[in-house]
Amino acid sequence: MSEPNESVVREVTICNKEGLHTRPVMKFVDLAQTFESDVSVRSLESTEIVNGKSAMELMLLCATFGTVLEVTATGVDAARAVEALTALVVDEFSLDLPNT
Amino acid sequence: MQILTGKAVSPGIAIAEAVVLDAEELRIPRRMVTKDEIPDEITELDHAFATSIEEIATQRADVKLQLGHDVADVFNWHIGVLKDPMLRKDIVSLMEERNYSAAYAVSTVMRGLQRRFMQMKDPLLAERMRDVQDIERRLLRNVLGKSAEDISHLSQEAILVTHDLTTSQTARLSSTKIIGVALDVGGATSHTAILLRSWGKPAVLGLKNLSSHVSGGDTVIVDGLNHMVVADPDEATLEDYRSKRASFVKLIDALDELRDLPAVTTEGVRIELLGNIEYPAEAAASMEKGADGIGLYRTEFLFLGDEDPDEEEQFEAYCKTIAGANGNQVTVRTFDLGADKITQNKHFEPERNPMLGNRSIRYSLQHLEMFKVQLRAILRAARTGNVRVMFPLLTTLMELRQAKMTLFDAMEDLEETGVRFGRDLDIGMMMETPAAASQCREFVREVKFVSIGTNDLIQYLLATDRGNERVSRYYTASHPAVLRTIRDVIRTCAKAGVDCSLCGEMAGEPIYAMLLIGLGLRKLSMAPNNIPEIKKLIRACSLKKAERVAKRALTFETDAQVTNYLRAETKKLLPDDPI
């Protein structure tokens, strides 16, 4: 069994034009909630750390195009969570795909 | 049952269930609950969350069909927010730690979030403030059930209970089912009071912390005759007030029958009763009440809208007022802007002491372009009727001369551009500062008429802010200094042959009617709703008697003696009236 509470941190830059807006926020939250780990997000422009599973807090990050985010996951599936969430950001939140 | 005393600013009795508004006009019935109620409140909160999510899901499906994904995405986020455990946690902890009701906790948390969005630099993100507002309203509606509806859609008559009302908030009450108003703050002659009186909605202000005691749906009695509010009355009190209300209504109906009779003393001396108005539509309403004209048209109310009125807009408003007066004289007062909340918030950096600041004629003379626009509009409208113009709050002769010069400039402008206007309008002034009153002799040489504005005159003579409930007891028209000042102004005007009228709230208060006529006034301008009662008084009184009363009133040393004496004399004249 690997470390139960390992923390994984990775930086990622918002690269979609509209930034962390309603649709990206919900994609992020929906994905984050599929993991058991706690997910927190910090914008490097501020010191505030928000819950990556909170639709309201992520919106309050005010992460526009070009903002660098630090995504941290803590828990059993931390590595997978960070991998998937940063990929989502890099992938511009797969915005061409319709919402469920 | 709880009885609170305040200051009645609009007479009458209103009995209905309370509607409690918070500062942003959302109805929050109760702010605090007891510890035992918290679990139930949390259950209701969770229920409201669930219902709100269901509602949005339904709406999202509809919207997706009609408008496509983009709009539906916003609803996704709404649902995301409502499912957000952090949001619920914040709300619940306010309830558990501070005994907030579910509604108040929701409102507090959501208002905090709205403020944060408002401060965002990215405009697209700042727009989310509206969404947060939307979510808040939806949650509140579901927490509160039916009681959260907007007051403009009340299904039954109600009493509005709140901390304070701005003038523009008050302005919107005219078309609602709000029949009475009870406020925590407020002295007697703010614009709020003036509006409420003119609509005949009973109101008591200065009730300290009433709004935190009363919950939405509680029965409340507003007793605008005795300066009282009764919350949650017992059956006997309620019964008592129902019959009091009935006799008051009967009295008002009887007064309306006086409408077509002239205001004459028993000897046949004619007294002109005029209306004080804020809105063009009130001109016709004043005539309905039996007014002989409009003695004070407060034009600054044009500024209540979101945008400042241009010349055309003003011209139209003035014409409408003049038409409403139906051939009777209309005295237009130029803008009295500056000291009220509207302009302090909107136009200026707040002044430390606005009542002694850049207000009224001073403001107009410092904003000559705006002033000229108004004067042009007045001049153009003056062609359509019998119009006079007067300047407010003069303290020096130079101001009067400058104001007149600006008026003549405006005439020249119009002449040059070939626009037709009414050239022969009389120019007058408000006598409402101690400085002008003591220099009355000089002023009357340069005006055609004088209107004594007692609201400001009293405030400046007695050094009392009329809107400050902590000192409102010092604010009284009965102060001997006020009486003597009024007497002297009337005398000076009479000697100079200058038309003199009085247009403060004092003119509409029954106990002062005999005094004012006895002092020599033949023109009184008041809230239209006061006209019938003052007329009834005048018709019951002889000029001789009034003169005796005035003479006696001026011999007293204190305002209390004056008030008691005048009240007793008025009561003798009309024993059946609830004065």
Side-chain angles (χ1 to χ4, degrees):
Chain A
M1 195 175 120
S2 65
E3 292 266 329
N5 277 325
E6 82 175 306
S7 272
V8 180
V9 186
R10 194 180 298 172
E11 282 184 12
V12 64
T13 306
I14 297 282
C15 51
N16 65 309
K17 209 167 66 220
E18 58 173 354
L20 209 44
H21 214 266
T22 45
R23 213 168 142 194
V25 162
M26 287 321 296
K27 291 245 180 190
F28 194 97
V29 169
D30 287 344
L31 183 58
Q33 279 171 347
T34 63
F35 297 101
E36 232 173 273
S37 298
D38 289 336
V39 177
S40 65
V41 181
R42 186 167 78 100
S43 154
L44 292 191
E45 285 169 18
S46 72
T47 51
E48 196 180 12
I49 298 171
V50 304
N51 187 328
K53 296 180 181 179
S54 163
M56 180 62 86
E57 292 192 358
L58 278 174
M59 190 64 93
L60 285 167
L61 263 188
C62 198
T64 47
F65 176 77
T67 306
V68 182
L69 298 180
E70 184 187 82
V71 180
T72 306
T74 308
V76 286
D77 49 8
R80 278 192 298 127
V82 168
E83 180 60 41
L85 289 166
T86 51
L88 179 71
V89 178
V90 170
D91 207 21
E92 301 188 19
F93 300 94
S94 327
L95 289 176
D96 43 335
L97 302 174
N99 269 330
T100 46
Chain B
M1 186 164 82
Q2 196 178 11
I3 301 173
L4 286 125
T5 9
K7 177 117 184 160
V9 295
S10 179
I13 290 166
I15 309 170
E17 287 185 2
V19 164
V20 184
L21 285 193
D22 71 358
E24 274 93 12
E25 292 188 57
L26 259 163
R27 291 163 61 185
I28 306 296
R30 283 197 301 179
R31 288 189 164 81
M32 301 296 177
V33 290
T34 61
K35 264 266 174 292
D36 325 339
E37 292 174 289
I38 296 285
D40 282 348
E41 286 279 311
I42 292 178
T43 310
E44 280 188 31
L45 177 73
D46 287 334
H47 185 71
F49 268 109
T51 315
S52 301
I53 291 168
E54 271 172 45
E55 283 175 9
I56 299 171
T58 314
Q59 279 181 3
R60 179 181 56 183
D62 293 348
V63 165
K64 213 168 183 172
L65 282 176
Q66 291 164 14
L67 300 167
H69 287 301
D70 286 353
V71 183
D73 280 342
V74 176
F75 283 103
N76 268 342
W77 183 67
H78 283 207
I79 292 178
V81 165
L82 287 165
K83 286 183 174 166
D84 188 338
M86 306 303 283
L87 181 71
R88 184 185 176 278
K89 204 182 85 193
D90 286 348
I91 295 170
V92 169
S93 69
L94 276 182
M95 296 168 69
E96 285 172 340
E97 284 160 26
R98 299 203 214 161
N99 286 1
Y100 281 15
S101 69
Y104 191 44
V106 165
S107 176
T108 307
V109 168
M110 299 304 268
R111 293 286 157 80
L113 292 167
Q114 285 164 36
R115 273 194 294 278
R116 289 180 63 187
F117 278 109
M118 249 184 321
Q119 285 156 7
M120 287 188 179
K121 290 198 184 70
D122 182 69
L124 218 54
L125 281 168
E127 238 176 66
R128 293 282 80 77
M129 198 268 291
R130 301 251 167 255
D131 290 288
V132 180
Q133 219 167 37
D134 220 39
I135 299 169
E136 179 196 359
R137 277 165 205 255
R138 188 187 296 277
L139 265 178
L140 281 180
R141 207 180 50 241
N142 285 321
V143 169
L144 302 169
K146 259 181 90 181
S147 60
E149 290 156 25
D150 187 344
I151 56 162
S152 55
H153 299 110
L154 290 172
S155 54
Q156 54 182 29
E157 293 186 335
I159 309 273
L160 177 62
V161 177
T162 184
H163 185 68
D164 195 6
L165 277 179
T166 63
T167 315
S168 52
Q169 283 175 318
T170 313
R172 285 198 289 275
L173 291 181
S174 71
S175 55
T176 66
K177 290 195 170 173
I178 296 294
I179 56 166
V181 172
L183 299 185
D184 294 349
V185 301
T189 21
S190 62
H191 283 157
T192 299
I194 292 168
L195 288 177
L196 291 170
R197 187 162 34 236
S198 71
W199 295 325
K201 296 185 195 283
V204 179
L205 316 187
L207 293 157
K208 308 248 159 48
N209 49 7
L210 175 78
S211 73
S212 44
H213 290 318
V214 173
S215 296
D218 287 0
T219 299
V220 169
I221 300 169
V222 176
D223 179 353
L225 301 172
N226 297 301
H227 307 275
M228 281 182 347
V229 164
V230 186
D232 200 12
D234 58 35
E235 200 44 50
T237 311
L238 203 55
E239 216 25 71
D240 183 36
Y241 267 104
R242 282 192 187 119
S243 76
K244 271 191 196 160
R245 182 180 56 183
S247 53
F248 184 77
V249 169
K250 225 161 106 190
L251 181 81
I252 295 292
D253 288 348
L255 287 174
D256 275 346
E257 287 166 17
L258 288 171
R259 195 179 58 202
D260 301 323
L261 299 171
V264 288
T265 63
T266 52
E267 304 96 329
V269 177
R270 181 80 163 87
I271 310 293
E272 275 183 62
L273 300 183
L274 310 159
N276 292 347
I277 64 163
E278 290 79 36
Y279 297 104
E282 289 175 290
S286 300
M287 299 305 129
E288 278 290 299
K289 287 281 171 191
D292 297 303
I294 301 304
L296 172 63
Y297 173 25
R298 299 180 167 105
T299 53
E300 60 278 7
F301 276 71
L302 283 165
F303 276 82
L304 278 183
D306 294 329
E307 285 184 24
D308 293 351
D310 62 17
E311 185 174 327
E312 283 316 304
E313 218 176 305
Q314 291 188 42
F315 173 68
E316 271 168 42
Y318 304 150
C319 285
K320 200 173 160 205
T321 305
I322 294 162
N326 201 15
N328 293 289
Q329 191 170 64
V330 176
T331 303
V332 182
R333 179 179 71 185
T334 64
F335 296 139
D336 185 8
L337 288 167
D340 51 295
K341 276 187 202 160
I342 323 158
T343 38
Q344 283 288 325
N345 288 345
K346 206 160 77 171
H347 293 289
F348 314 109
E349 284 175 33
E351 290 174 301
R352 212 164 59 158
N353 207 338
M355 276 306 186
L356 302 180
N358 186 16
R359 63 170 291 215
S360 204
I361 193 71
R362 301 171 183 177
Y363 183 77
S364 292
L365 290 175
Q366 283 183 31
H367 295 80
L368 277 179
E369 258 326 297
M370 177 202 83
F371 191 33
K372 245 196 223 173
V373 166
Q374 172 172 44
L375 294 172
R376 277 202 300 268
I378 294 172
L379 285 165
R380 286 168 57 200
R383 273 187 68 237
T384 65
N386 181 359
V387 177
R388 310 194 295 179
V389 63
M390 65 178 172
F391 304 117
L393 207 82
L394 297 170
T395 50
T396 73
L397 280 163
M398 289 313 293
E399 280 173 323
L400 173 61
R401 289 173 191 160
Q402 213 189 332
K404 281 171 76 174
M405 220 146 68
T406 314
L407 183 70
F408 298 139
D409 274 356
M411 286 184 184
E412 262 174 43
D413 282 0
L414 290 172
E415 224 154 48
E416 274 168 23
T417 47
V419 180
R420 295 199 292 172
F421 62 95
R423 178 182 297 278
D424 306 323
L425 81 180
D426 283 350
I427 302 168
M429 65 179 286
M430 297 277 290
M431 193 60 77
E432 54 184 343
T433 64
S438 75
Q439 260 198 303
C440 189
R441 214 159 6 142
E442 287 92 334
F443 273 103
V444 294
R445 286 187 208 127
E446 302 183 27
V447 290
K448 274 275 175 54
F449 67 96
V450 161
S451 185
I452 305 174
T454 48
N455 295 357
D456 274 334
L457 184 61
I458 294 168
Q459 152 162 289
Y460 292 125
L461 265 176
L462 305 184
T464 301
D465 174 359
R466 65 194 199 202
N468 178 347
E469 73 268 25
R470 277 182 264 184
V471 294
S472 58
R473 70 196 164 93
Y474 291 102
Y475 181 91
T476 166
S478 294
H479 195 294
V482 175
L483 267 42
R484 284 173 205 176
T485 306
I486 293 173
R487 175 197 62 191
D488 294 345
V489 169
I490 295 170
R491 276 185 188 165
T492 310
C493 288
K495 261 187 220 156
V498 164
D499 176 88
C500 183
S501 55
L502 187 142
C503 69
E505 298 299 299
M506 184 186 189
E509 288 182 49
I511 66 165
Y512 298 115
M514 277 193 280
L515 168 82
L516 296 176
I517 296 162
L519 288 173
L521 285 172
R522 297 293 175 267
K523 271 186 183 180
L524 301 174
S525 193
M526 63 200 73
N529 274 331
N530 296 132
I531 291 175
E533 189 167 18
I534 300 295
K535 188 185 274 186
K536 184 177 175 190
L537 249 155
I538 290 167
R539 290 179 61 84
C541 179
S542 73
L543 182 59
K544 246 201 191 120
K545 162 96 178 155
E547 282 169 350
R548 254 200 328 269
V549 167
K551 207 167 169 190
R552 181 80 204 282
L554 274 150
T555 63
F556 295 113
E557 291 174 337
T558 68
D559 60 86
Q561 287 171 313
V562 172
T563 302
N564 290 340
Y565 171 70
L566 292 177
R567 184 167 286 140
E569 287 297 324
T570 311
K571 194 90 200 160
K572 267 193 249 168
L573 201 64
L574 297 175
D576 301 328
D577 278 19
I579 290 158

